[in-house]
Amino acid sequence: MLQAEHLWTPHEWQRDAAVGQGTDTLRARFALPGMPNLHSHAFQRAMAGLAERRGPGDDSFWTWRETMYASASRIGPDQLQAIAAQLYVEMLKAGYTHVCEFHYLHNAPDGKPYADPAAMSRAIIAAAREAGIGLTLLPVLYMTGGFDGRALSDRQKRFGLSVDAYLELVESLGAHESERVRVGVALHSLRAVPETAMREVLAAASAFSPLPSERRGAPRRMRVRPGRGSMPIHIHIAEQIGEVQDCLGMRGARPVQWLFDHADVDGRWCLVHATHLDDAELRAIAASGAVAGLCPTTEANLGDGLFPLANYLDARGTLGIGSDSHISVSPVEELRWLEYGQRLVTRHRNIASRTPDASVGEALWGAALQGGHRAAGIAEDDVRADFIVLDDASPLLAARDERSVIDVFLFAGNAPLVRDVMAGGEWMVRDFRHRDEARIAARYRETVEALAAG
Ligand code: NGQ
Ligand code: ZN
């Protein structure tokens, strides 16, 4: 149980609040809800820092992608579980209590399906259980190598599934659903999914939405998440200018515009990155209730561009944060850079809070919580025993109170201020240490050393 002198329940502070159950009571001065991480490719953690050396030409997102593909090619289920478990421990220690895993590494390294087509998905589920983080598993449909419908390259063959194989995978994963493990659907990107395939998957996903009964019974039913809320739908979109240009050239519309013209985009959707938007696209996303899935440290690392935050917030858009490639694993850093990117280009301060006297830290943490839960498929009335406790002993928190503590947490620290983390009602991190971190880190080290040795 957590007994907090000051508990932030967006958007107000409660005094002397008790949350969670059990006799293992922890007293704390400042606590706040744990953050959902709405976008992760776990395997990429094992290459963080290995693409920061200049190549022969101009480096870009596309040259980084080749390095990423090469590192993916040697990872099987055991390696994936070891890497993901270590990553998820790091996430918990940083203050993330739930992760949406955008998972497309389905096939064996030779591009053929594993004997169990869900082998890689099950590795992710096992890793989340070991670490104790909540999971929304998003198996990804990936079919083509570009807008022109070209076949997958050899390195992309590990990602490829037919629509039928994909829907079977999603359906089979339903057996693993629980309070802590949810399943959604994902389309890798417009360039990787033909329009007809997109329609089939969306029809199947809608069969699970809590819609009026006459709208049920879409072409194909999946027995995933009976009785739960609607199924989240994630897609990468408009991250790179090259992608916007290709979409304009091949489909006659910008990516976000094309998506809104061809799908019922609503609050089930998470549009990952959505970096390059015109005004109409920005307003369409905001009005739809879809979540803009922002990954500022990855977007910076890959040279994607800057999301138009102020206009989007003024249009009452919903957003959340993800650590994506895991070049950094910290909600503090994502939110700090989300705000700082805007300060640097606008030459103004305090962008994320749109009302006078409102705390920027509270605005950022509150917005990303709301959007993160929505993207994870966690309903607003679904109470989560997911909390983080800040380190009372840090000199940074001396003489700080409710008014300033979240701003200090997000903007003033270098050493993380997250001391304890409750996830799913259990203390997974106490005094900066995760319950099982030594074992999980040792296995990660062995795994990465073996991968590096080839
Ligand atoms: C991914 N990551 O799927 O891991 C992508 C790169 C692609 C980001 N876009 C591959 N950050 O988009 O084709
Ligand atoms: Zn991604």
Side-chain angles (χ1 to χ4, degrees), residues 42-96:
F43 73 90
Q44 292 175 16
R45 180 57 168 170
M47 67 162 285
L50 297 186
E52 310 300 323
R53 187 173 285 271
R54 200 175 169 85
D58 257 355
D59 285 330
S60 69
F61 175 88
W62 307 104
T63 57
W64 166 85
R65 195 172 81 155
E66 288 308 312
T67 311
M68 184 271 278
Y69 283 174
S71 96
S73 68
R74 293 190 302 274
I75 296 173
D78 291 346
Q79 290 81 13
L80 183 60
Q81 183 174 341
I83 295 165
Q86 171 64 20
L87 170 69
Y88 296 162
V89 164
E90 288 169 22
M91 283 188 191
L92 282 161
K93 291 171 75 167
Y96 290 118

Coordinates of all heavy atoms in Angstrom, one line a residue, residues 42-96:
A42 N 11.0 -3.0 -28.5 CA 12.0 -3.4 -27.5 C 13.3 -3.8 -28.0 O 14.4 -3.5 -27.4 CB 11.4 -4.5 -26.6
F43 N 13.4 -4.5 -29.1 CA 14.6 -5.1 -29.6 C 15.6 -4.0 -29.9 O 16.8 -4.2 -29.8 CB 14.4 -6.0 -30.8 CG 14.1 -5.3 -32.1 CD1 15.1 -4.9 -32.9 CD2 12.8 -5.0 -32.4 CE1 14.8 -4.2 -34.1 CE2 12.5 -4.3 -33.6 CZ 13.5 -3.9 -34.5
Q44 N 15.1 -2.8 -30.2 CA 16.1 -1.7 -30.6 C 16.9 -1.2 -29.4 O 17.9 -0.5 -29.6 CB 15.3 -0.6 -31.3 CG 14.8 -1.0 -32.6 CD 13.9 0.0 -33.3 OE1 13.9 1.2 -33.0 NE2 13.1 -0.4 -34.3
R45 N 16.5 -1.6 -28.2 CA 17.3 -1.1 -27.0 C 18.7 -1.7 -27.1 O 19.7 -1.1 -26.7 CB 16.7 -1.6 -25.7 CG 17.4 -1.3 -24.5 CD 17.6 0.2 -24.4 NE 18.1 0.6 -23.0 CZ 18.5 1.9 -22.8 NH1 18.5 2.8 -23.7 NH2 18.9 2.2 -21.6
A46 N 18.8 -2.9 -27.8 CA 20.2 -3.5 -27.8 C 21.1 -2.8 -28.8 O 22.3 -3.2 -28.9 CB 20.0 -5.0 -28.2
M47 N 20.6 -1.9 -29.6 CA 21.5 -1.2 -30.5 C 21.6 0.3 -30.2 O 22.2 1.1 -30.9 CB 21.0 -1.3 -32.0 CG 19.7 -0.6 -32.3 SD 19.4 -0.3 -34.0 CE 20.4 1.1 -34.4
A48 N 21.0 0.7 -29.0 CA 21.1 2.1 -28.7 C 22.5 2.6 -28.6 O 23.4 2.0 -27.9 CB 20.4 2.4 -27.3
G49 N 22.9 3.6 -29.3 CA 24.3 4.2 -29.2 C 25.2 3.6 -30.3 O 26.3 4.0 -30.5
L50 N 24.7 2.6 -31.1 CA 25.5 2.0 -32.1 C 25.3 2.6 -33.5 O 25.9 2.1 -34.5 CB 25.3 0.5 -32.2 CG 25.6 -0.3 -30.9 CD1 25.5 -1.8 -31.1 CD2 27.1 0.1 -30.4
A51 N 24.5 3.7 -33.6 CA 24.3 4.3 -34.9 C 24.7 5.8 -34.9 O 24.2 6.6 -35.6 CB 22.9 4.1 -35.4
E52 N 25.7 6.1 -34.0 CA 26.0 7.5 -33.8 C 27.4 7.8 -34.4 O 28.1 8.7 -34.0 CB 26.0 7.8 -32.3 CG 24.7 7.4 -31.6 CD 23.4 8.0 -32.1 OE1 23.5 9.2 -32.5 OE2 22.4 7.3 -32.2
R53 N 27.8 7.0 -35.4 CA 29.1 7.3 -36.1 C 28.8 7.6 -37.5 O 28.0 6.9 -38.2 CB 29.9 6.0 -36.0 CG 31.3 6.1 -36.4 CD 32.1 4.8 -36.1 NE 32.4 4.7 -34.7 CZ 33.5 5.2 -34.2 NH1 34.4 5.7 -35.0 NH2 33.8 5.1 -32.9
R54 N 29.5 8.6 -38.0 CA 29.1 9.1 -39.3 C 29.4 8.1 -40.4 O 30.5 7.5 -40.4 CB 29.9 10.4 -39.6 CG 29.3 11.3 -40.7 CD 30.0 12.6 -40.8 NE 29.5 13.2 -42.1 CZ 28.4 13.9 -42.1 NH1 27.7 14.2 -41.1 NH2 28.0 14.4 -43.3
G55 N 28.5 7.9 -41.4 CA 28.7 7.0 -42.5 C 29.4 7.8 -43.7 O 29.7 8.9 -43.5
P56 N 29.5 7.1 -44.8 CA 30.2 7.7 -46.0 C 29.4 8.9 -46.6 O 30.1 9.8 -47.1 CB 30.2 6.6 -47.0 CG 29.2 5.5 -46.5 CD 29.1 5.7 -45.1
G57 N 28.1 8.9 -46.5 CA 27.4 10.1 -47.1 C 26.7 10.8 -46.0 O 27.1 10.9 -44.9
D58 N 25.5 11.4 -46.4 CA 24.7 12.1 -45.4 C 23.9 11.1 -44.6 O 23.1 10.4 -45.2 CB 23.8 13.1 -46.1 CG 24.3 14.5 -46.1 OD1 25.3 14.8 -45.4 OD2 23.6 15.4 -46.7
D59 N 24.1 11.1 -43.3 CA 23.3 10.1 -42.5 C 21.9 10.6 -42.3 O 21.6 11.8 -42.2 CB 23.9 9.9 -41.2 CG 25.2 9.0 -41.4 OD1 25.1 8.2 -42.3 OD2 26.1 9.1 -40.6
S60 N 20.9 9.7 -42.3 CA 19.5 10.1 -42.1 C 18.8 8.9 -41.5 O 19.4 7.9 -41.1 CB 18.9 10.3 -43.5 OG 18.8 9.0 -44.2
F61 N 17.5 9.2 -41.3 CA 16.6 8.1 -40.8 C 16.8 6.8 -41.6 O 16.8 5.7 -41.0 CB 15.2 8.6 -41.0 CG 14.1 7.6 -40.7 CD1 13.6 7.5 -39.5 CD2 13.5 6.8 -41.7 CE1 12.5 6.6 -39.2 CE2 12.5 5.9 -41.5 CZ 12.0 5.8 -40.2
W62 N 17.0 6.9 -42.9 CA 17.0 5.7 -43.8 C 18.4 5.0 -43.6 O 18.4 3.8 -43.7 CB 16.8 6.1 -45.2 CG 15.5 6.9 -45.3 CD1 15.3 8.3 -45.5 CD2 14.1 6.4 -45.2 NE1 14.0 8.6 -45.5 CE2 13.2 7.5 -45.3 CE3 13.6 5.1 -45.0 CZ2 11.8 7.4 -45.2 CZ3 12.2 5.0 -44.9 CH2 11.3 6.1 -45.0
T63 N 19.4 5.7 -43.3 CA 20.7 5.0 -43.1 C 20.7 4.4 -41.7 O 21.1 3.2 -41.5 CB 21.9 5.9 -43.2 OG1 21.8 7.0 -42.3 CG2 22.1 6.4 -44.6
W64 N 20.1 5.0 -40.7 CA 19.9 4.4 -39.4 C 19.1 3.1 -39.5 O 19.4 2.1 -38.8 CB 19.1 5.4 -38.4 CG 18.6 4.8 -37.2 CD1 19.3 4.6 -36.0 CD2 17.3 4.2 -37.0 NE1 18.5 3.9 -35.1 CE2 17.2 3.7 -35.7 CE3 16.1 4.1 -37.8 CZ2 16.1 3.1 -35.1 CZ3 15.0 3.5 -37.2 CH2 15.0 3.0 -35.9
R65 N 18.1 3.1 -40.4 CA 17.2 2.0 -40.5 C 18.0 0.8 -41.0 O 17.7 -0.4 -40.5 CB 16.1 2.3 -41.5 CG 15.0 1.3 -41.4 CD 13.8 1.7 -42.2 NE 13.9 1.4 -43.6 CZ 12.9 1.3 -44.4 NH1 11.6 1.4 -44.0 NH2 13.1 1.0 -45.7
E66 N 19.0 1.0 -41.8 CA 19.8 -0.2 -42.2 C 20.6 -0.8 -41.0 O 20.7 -2.0 -40.9 CB 20.8 0.2 -43.3 CG 20.1 0.5 -44.7 CD 19.2 -0.7 -45.1 OE1 19.6 -1.8 -45.1 OE2 18.0 -0.4 -45.5
T67 N 21.1 0.1 -40.2 CA 21.8 -0.4 -39.0 C 20.8 -1.2 -38.1 O 21.2 -2.2 -37.5 CB 22.4 0.8 -38.2 OG1 23.1 1.6 -39.1 CG2 23.3 0.3 -37.1
M68 N 19.7 -0.6 -37.9 CA 18.6 -1.2 -37.1 C 18.2 -2.6 -37.7 O 18.2 -3.6 -36.9 CB 17.4 -0.3 -37.0 CG 16.3 -0.7 -36.1 SD 15.1 -1.7 -37.0 CE 14.1 -0.5 -37.8
Y69 N 18.1 -2.7 -39.0 CA 17.7 -4.0 -39.6 C 18.8 -5.0 -39.3 O 18.5 -6.2 -39.1 CB 17.5 -3.8 -41.1 CG 16.2 -3.2 -41.5 CD1 16.0 -2.9 -42.9 CD2 15.2 -2.9 -40.6 CE1 14.8 -2.3 -43.3 CE2 14.0 -2.3 -41.0 CZ 13.8 -2.0 -42.4 OH 12.6 -1.5 -42.8
A70 N 20.0 -4.6 -39.5 CA 21.1 -5.5 -39.3 C 21.1 -6.1 -37.9 O 21.3 -7.3 -37.6 CB 22.5 -4.9 -39.6
S71 N 20.9 -5.2 -36.9 CA 20.9 -5.7 -35.5 C 19.7 -6.6 -35.2 O 19.8 -7.5 -34.4 CB 21.0 -4.5 -34.5 OG 19.7 -4.1 -34.1
A72 N 18.6 -6.3 -35.9 CA 17.4 -7.2 -35.7 C 17.6 -8.6 -36.2 O 17.0 -9.5 -35.7 CB 16.2 -6.5 -36.4
S73 N 18.4 -8.7 -37.1 CA 18.5 -10.0 -37.9 C 18.9 -11.2 -37.0 O 18.7 -12.3 -37.4 CB 19.4 -9.8 -39.1 OG 20.7 -9.7 -38.7
R74 N 19.6 -10.9 -35.9 CA 20.1 -12.0 -35.1 C 19.3 -12.3 -33.9 O 19.6 -13.2 -33.1 CB 21.5 -11.8 -34.8 CG 22.5 -11.8 -36.0 CD 23.9 -11.7 -35.6 NE 24.3 -10.6 -34.7 CZ 24.6 -9.4 -35.3 NH1 24.6 -9.2 -36.6 NH2 24.9 -8.4 -34.5
I75 N 18.2 -11.6 -33.7 CA 17.4 -11.7 -32.4 C 16.3 -12.7 -32.6 O 15.4 -12.6 -33.4 CB 16.9 -10.3 -32.0 CG1 18.1 -9.4 -31.7 CG2 16.0 -10.4 -30.8 CD1 17.7 -8.0 -31.5
G76 N 16.3 -13.8 -31.8 CA 15.3 -14.8 -31.7 C 14.5 -14.6 -30.4 O 14.7 -13.7 -29.7
P77 N 13.5 -15.5 -30.1 CA 12.7 -15.4 -29.0 C 13.4 -15.2 -27.6 O 13.1 -14.4 -26.8 CB 11.8 -16.6 -29.0 CG 11.8 -17.1 -30.4 CD 13.1 -16.7 -31.0
D78 N 14.4 -16.0 -27.4 CA 15.1 -16.0 -26.1 C 15.9 -14.6 -25.9 O 15.8 -14.0 -24.9 CB 16.2 -17.1 -25.9 CG 15.5 -18.4 -25.8 OD1 14.2 -18.4 -25.5 OD2 16.1 -19.5 -26.0
Q79 N 16.5 -14.2 -27.1 CA 17.2 -12.9 -27.0 C 16.2 -11.8 -26.8 O 16.4 -10.8 -26.1 CB 18.0 -12.7 -28.3 CG 19.2 -13.6 -28.5 CD 18.8 -14.9 -29.0 OE1 17.7 -15.2 -29.5 NE2 19.8 -15.9 -28.9
L80 N 15.1 -11.9 -27.5 CA 14.1 -10.8 -27.4 C 13.6 -10.7 -26.0 O 13.4 -9.6 -25.4 CB 12.9 -11.1 -28.4 CG 11.8 -10.0 -28.4 CD1 12.4 -8.6 -28.8 CD2 10.7 -10.4 -29.3
Q81 N 13.3 -11.9 -25.3 CA 12.8 -11.8 -24.0 C 13.9 -11.2 -23.0 O 13.5 -10.4 -22.2 CB 12.5 -13.2 -23.5 CG 11.9 -13.2 -22.1 CD 11.4 -14.6 -21.6 OE1 11.1 -15.5 -22.4 NE2 11.2 -14.7 -20.3
A82 N 15.1 -11.6 -23.2 CA 16.2 -11.0 -22.4 C 16.3 -9.5 -22.6 O 16.4 -8.7 -21.6 CB 17.5 -11.7 -22.7
I83 N 16.3 -9.0 -23.8 CA 16.4 -7.6 -24.1 C 15.2 -6.8 -23.6 O 15.3 -5.8 -22.9 CB 16.6 -7.4 -25.6 CG1 17.9 -8.0 -26.1 CG2 16.5 -5.9 -25.9 CD1 18.0 -8.1 -27.6
A84 N 14.0 -7.4 -23.9 CA 12.8 -6.7 -23.5 C 12.6 -6.6 -21.9 O 12.2 -5.6 -21.4 CB 11.6 -7.3 -24.1
A85 N 13.0 -7.7 -21.2 CA 12.8 -7.7 -19.8 C 13.8 -6.6 -19.2 O 13.4 -5.9 -18.3 CB 13.2 -9.1 -19.2
Q86 N 15.0 -6.5 -19.7 CA 15.9 -5.5 -19.2 C 15.4 -4.1 -19.5 O 15.3 -3.2 -18.6 CB 17.3 -5.7 -19.8 CG 18.3 -4.6 -19.5 CD 18.7 -4.4 -18.1 OE1 18.5 -5.4 -17.3 NE2 19.1 -3.3 -17.7
L87 N 14.9 -3.9 -20.7 CA 14.3 -2.6 -21.0 C 13.1 -2.3 -20.1 O 13.0 -1.2 -19.6 CB 13.8 -2.7 -22.5 CG 13.0 -1.5 -23.0 CD1 13.9 -0.2 -23.0 CD2 12.3 -1.8 -24.3
Y88 N 12.3 -3.2 -19.9 CA 11.1 -3.0 -19.1 C 11.4 -2.7 -17.6 O 10.8 -1.9 -17.0 CB 10.1 -4.1 -19.2 CG 9.5 -4.3 -20.6 CD1 8.9 -5.5 -20.9 CD2 9.6 -3.3 -21.6 CE1 8.4 -5.7 -22.2 CE2 9.1 -3.5 -22.9 CZ 8.5 -4.7 -23.2 OH 8.0 -4.9 -24.4
V89 N 12.5 -3.3 -17.1 CA 13.0 -3.0 -15.8 C 13.4 -1.5 -15.8 O 13.1 -0.7 -14.9 CB 14.1 -3.9 -15.4 CG1 14.9 -3.3 -14.2 CG2 13.6 -5.3 -15.0
E90 N 14.2 -1.1 -16.8 CA 14.6 0.3 -16.9 C 13.5 1.2 -17.0 O 13.5 2.3 -16.4 CB 15.6 0.4 -18.1 CG 16.9 -0.2 -17.9 CD 17.8 -0.3 -19.1 OE1 17.6 0.5 -20.1 OE2 18.7 -1.2 -19.2
M91 N 12.4 0.8 -17.7 CA 11.2 1.7 -17.8 C 10.6 1.9 -16.5 O 10.3 3.0 -16.1 CB 10.2 1.0 -18.8 CG 10.5 1.2 -20.3 SD 9.1 0.6 -21.2 CE 9.9 0.6 -22.8
L92 N 10.4 0.8 -15.7 CA 9.8 0.9 -14.4 C 10.6 1.9 -13.5 O 10.1 2.8 -12.9 CB 9.6 -0.4 -13.8 CG 8.5 -1.3 -14.3 CD1 8.7 -2.7 -13.9 CD2 7.1 -0.8 -13.7
K93 N 11.9 1.7 -13.5 CA 12.8 2.5 -12.7 C 12.7 4.0 -13.1 O 12.9 4.9 -12.3 CB 14.2 2.0 -12.7 CG 14.4 0.7 -12.0 CD 15.7 0.0 -12.2 CE 16.8 0.7 -11.4 NZ 18.0 -0.1 -11.4
A94 N 12.4 4.2 -14.4 CA 12.3 5.6 -14.8 C 10.9 6.2 -14.6 O 10.7 7.4 -14.8 CB 12.7 5.7 -16.3
G95 N 9.9 5.4 -14.3 CA 8.6 5.9 -14.0 C 7.5 5.5 -15.0 O 6.4 6.0 -14.9
Y96 N 7.9 4.6 -15.9 CA 6.8 4.1 -16.8 C 6.3 2.8 -16.2 O 7.0 1.9 -15.8 CB 7.4 3.6 -18.2 CG 7.9 4.7 -19.1 CD1 9.2 4.8 -19.5 CD2 7.0 5.6 -19.7 CE1 9.7 5.7 -20.4 CE2 7.5 6.6 -20.6 CZ 8.8 6.6 -20.9 OH 9.2 7.6 -21.8

